[in-house]
Amino acid sequence: MKLSLAIVALALAIPTAGYAQETTAASSGEYPNTFSSGSANISPFTNQSKRFNDWSISVGAGVPLLQSADLTSIKNGNGKNLFGYSAYVSIDKAITHAFGLKLQYDRGETRQGWFNTKDPAPDAMAVGARTQYDALSILGDVNFSNLLRRVDNHSPYRWALHGYAGVGTIAYRAYQKDSKGQRLMTEVKPFQLGSMFMQAGAGLKFKVNRRIDIEGRLMYVVTGDDEFDGGGDAYSAINKRSEQVSDNFFNATLGLSFKLGKHDSHLMWHDPLQEIYYKLDVLANKNQDIEVCKKGDADNDGVCDDWDRQLDTPAGARVDGAGVALDTDLDGVIDLYDKCVTVPGPVENNGCPVKKDNNQTAVEVEKTLKDIYFNFNKATIRPESNSKLDLAASIIKENGGNYLLTGHTDIKGNAAYNLRLSKERAAAVVAALENRGVSQDVLKSRGVGSAEATIPATASDAERLADRKVTVRFVESSEWNSIKKKDYEDAPVKKAVKKAPAKKKKK
């Protein structure tokens, strides 16, 4: 039973510790920071920033009644109740408006059995007992009234229902009395595994004033011990009367709480929802005599002249919150007059970029494509050419025009094969540019093979790489329609293979 209590205690302690303290890691001492809520209106929580008291001291006294035991206090044998006494004192800390912690010390004495041990035994069969105990425990305190109270309840907040649960250590001395006299049956020392216990219950508080509360509390104490009632050894005749393995008792108390601190209100009596709704009600019932736009809106842009930074905004122009006409691309031409709203351009060209001469564009594109390289004997563009293709595509899209791309190969190899390869390479570059957003109507391709190669066949492959290229030429509209999209059919041409001379048959 004690091991079960230890497991329950650990299970209760972990969520209690997590709820009681929120650890915030911060990269710096400034607010807001990476680990804060992100609000600009937050500040470190310090004693100076507190609005409520959160410490108190509670004391109380009451009556314990053994309920689940072999010897009980409630009508056990003689049909009467045997009353003991109890007292407690605790130091209380409010963590939030709905949760707190208590460090509590309890002291008391239970009386149980067939007769009161203050009296002599009525007969030889009668057994009476009393148990003196001291307990130290940590209790979690949940303010159910703050958790469950209706937000539209405007009645005075002077009653509060609290729930308690916690674990601790209990030390006791259990005495038994019969016709032979009284003797000590069991003694348990504190702060040992066998002395662990738990208790839970509820209390109803009444707020007398800002400093004092009155509370009636009923707790159920689970000792985890079958010898607490004074029955002696666990296998004694008395302790065999009941199958219970834990002697438990009710503890009904009446006490006072003294709230400490300099503030007018205690945190456990504060309901933040009530405060918010109260302030909303005040605002809703308040006359809002606010005059807006005292100076009017001279330019009719929807921004009052009181805070309009541009009082002569042209009619129809979109403006920001300060009444300034929008200029999306920041080129000095407001969107109302800008023909190219998202692309910067000079004022004299209505905010659009000035297009270059198409022949100059062809030179720039060819210069960019000069570094476009292909794999040996293939029309596959090498990966290091991607950035150059991106740049060439952006130049064409920005300046427009129709362009013919001509593919070239080096001089080495079969001329027919090289011609086909150059056509495929030019078409491959056109396809790559069109994949980057260039219109399919402005690019065409052709190939000339090795006809214009300048590097001799005896040169190294790295040197002949310069002949494997694509050139660009701007084509006027009158000539454009006479040029095919590409100058080859899709069926591949196989590279010519020399036949080996036939072997002579042996005679």
Side-chain angles (χ1 to χ4, degrees):
M1 183 66 185
K2 289 295 185 179
L3 181 60
S4 300
L5 277 175
I7 296 173
V8 172
L10 181 61
L12 288 173
I14 292 175
T16 301
Y19 189 18
Q21 180 67 38
E22 178 184 355
T23 302
T24 302
S27 57
S28 69
E30 298 179 356
Y31 284 72
N33 56 46
T34 306
F35 304 100
S36 69
S37 64
S39 170
N41 297 322
I42 60 177
S43 60
F45 181 69
T46 63
N47 284 326
Q48 289 72 25
S49 64
K50 286 183 179 180
R51 295 171 51 203
F52 307 101
N53 300 324
D54 51 10
W55 287 97
S56 60
I57 295 176
S58 299
V59 296
V63 178
L65 294 170
L66 264 173
Q67 173 266 338
S68 173
D70 299 284
L71 299 174
T72 67
S73 306
I74 305 174
K75 296 183 179 180
N76 186 9
N78 60 0
K80 297 181 180 180
N81 297 325
L82 299 178
F83 298 103
Y85 70 88
S86 67
Y88 70 86
V89 60
S90 68
I91 300 175
D92 313 327
K93 168 67 174 178
I95 308 300
T96 72
H97 67 288
F99 179 79
L101 292 174
K102 290 176 173 290
L103 179 62
Q104 181 169 302
Y105 169 72
D106 291 88
R107 184 183 181 92
E109 180 178 284
T110 63
R111 295 184 180 275
Q112 57 274 353
W114 279 269
F115 65 95
N116 193 323
T117 55
K118 293 181 180 180
D119 304 325
D123 56 60
M125 300 297 296
V127 176
R130 64 187 179 92
T131 304
Q132 298 173 337
Y133 66 87
D134 295 271
L136 184 67
S137 58
I138 296 178
L139 299 175
D141 177 2
V142 178
N143 187 342
F144 288 109
S145 294
N146 266 343
L147 286 178
L148 306 176
R149 190 165 183 251
R150 287 175 58 98
V151 296
D152 57 351
N153 185 348
H154 289 209
S155 60
Y157 187 26
R158 302 192 71 175
W159 292 94
L161 177 65
H162 287 247
Y164 306 103
V167 296
T169 179
I170 188 170
Y172 67 88
R173 295 167 63 89
Y175 298 88
Q176 186 183 116
K177 186 175 182 180
D178 54 19
S179 59
K180 297 179 181 180
Q182 179 175 274
R183 58 192 176 278
L184 176 65
M185 299 300 294
T186 308
E187 181 175 8
V188 173
K189 300 293 185 179
F191 302 109
Q192 299 176 8
L193 183 61
S195 69
M196 292 191 66
F197 82 106
M198 63 184 295
Q199 59 178 324
L204 184 62
K205 281 190 175 184
F206 176 73
K207 181 180 179 182
V208 179
N209 53 43
R210 75 183 188 93
R211 290 297 182 190
I212 299 175
D213 298 336
I214 296 177
E215 179 181 24
R217 189 187 301 179
L218 180 63
M219 302 294 290
Y220 189 69
V221 181
V222 179
T223 67
D225 196 329
D226 194 28
E227 302 175 22
F228 183 86
D229 62 351
D233 183 81
Y235 300 100
S236 66
I238 294 177
N239 278 335
K240 290 181 180 179
R241 294 181 65 248
S242 172
E243 295 181 356
Q244 298 289 340
V245 294
S246 174
D247 295 338
N248 308 329
F249 63 90
F250 288 104
N251 191 16
T253 58
L254 183 65
L256 298 174
S257 292
F258 302 94
K259 294 166 282 189
L260 310 176
K262 63 182 180 179
H263 302 287
D264 291 335
S265 180
H266 191 273
L267 183 58
M268 278 287 194
W269 285 105
H270 173 69
D271 186 350
L273 277 178
Q274 290 295 312
E275 183 179 30
I276 293 172
Y277 277 88
Y278 171 75
K279 291 181 178 179
L280 289 176
D281 289 343
V282 170
L283 290 174
N285 296 326
K286 187 176 181 180
N287 293 327
Q288 303 291 332
D289 297 328
I290 301 175
E291 185 178 356
V292 183
C293 280
K294 294 181 180 180
K295 299 180 180 179
D297 181 11
D299 51 10
N300 294 316
D301 61 357
V303 179
C304 297
D305 291 349
D306 303 70
W307 50 83
D308 196 333
R309 293 173 52 196
Q310 189 179 58
L311 297 174
D312 57 349
T313 305
R318 296 184 304 155
V319 298
D320 59 17
V324 178
L326 295 179
D327 178 13
T328 302
D329 53 13
L330 302 175
D331 58 0
V333 181
I334 64 174
D335 293 352
L336 180 65
Y337 303 133
D338 199 331
K339 300 298 183 182
C340 301
V341 176
T342 59
V343 181
V347 177
E348 55 271 14
N349 200 40
N350 295 322
C352 290
V354 178
K355 294 184 178 180
K356 301 175 183 178
D357 176 76
N358 293 120
N359 289 310
Q360 183 182 355
T361 299
V363 173
E364 290 188 13
V365 174
E366 181 175 327
K367 183 178 179 181
T368 303
L369 296 180
K370 181 181 179 182
D371 295 327
I372 299 298
Y373 298 124
F374 300 89
N375 290 328
F376 181 69
N377 273 348
K378 294 182 180 179
T380 306
I381 301 174
R382 292 170 61 160
E384 59 263 35
S385 304
N386 287 337
S387 61
K388 299 297 181 181
L389 288 168
D390 295 338
L391 179 58
S394 65
I395 294 173
I396 295 172
K397 288 188 290 184
E398 182 179 343
N399 296 284
N402 300 324
Y403 302 94
L404 176 64
L405 278 65
T406 303
H408 302 262
T409 67
D410 60 29
I411 199 170
K412 190 173 182 178
N414 181 274
Y417 176 79
N418 285 344
L419 179 61
R420 173 71 181 198
L421 183 59
S422 68
K423 294 177 180 180
E424 291 177 349
R425 285 179 171 175
V429 175
V430 169
L433 294 173
E434 290 175 348
N435 288 338
R436 287 164 169 78
V438 177
S439 172
Q440 296 182 359
D441 299 328
V442 302
L443 297 178
K444 293 182 179 180
S445 66
R446 71 184 182 98
V448 296
S450 59
E452 300 179 8
T454 60
I455 309 299
T458 57
S460 66
D461 181 67
E463 293 173 329
R464 286 184 281 103
L465 195 65
D467 277 340
R468 298 195 290 271
K469 63 185 179 181
V470 174
T471 58
V472 183
R473 179 172 69 88
F474 167 66
V475 180
E476 298 287 350
S477 299
S478 57
E479 183 187 355
W480 183 253
N481 294 331
S482 63
I483 303 175
K484 294 182 179 180
K485 178 68 175 176
K486 61 181 181 179
D487 58 351
Y488 72 96
E489 300 298 328
D490 290 330
V493 176
K494 294 184 179 180
K495 186 176 181 180
V497 179
K498 292 183 180 180
K499 293 183 178 179
K503 294 182 179 181
K504 293 181 180 181
K505 294 183 179 180
K506 296 182 180 179
K507 292 182 179 181

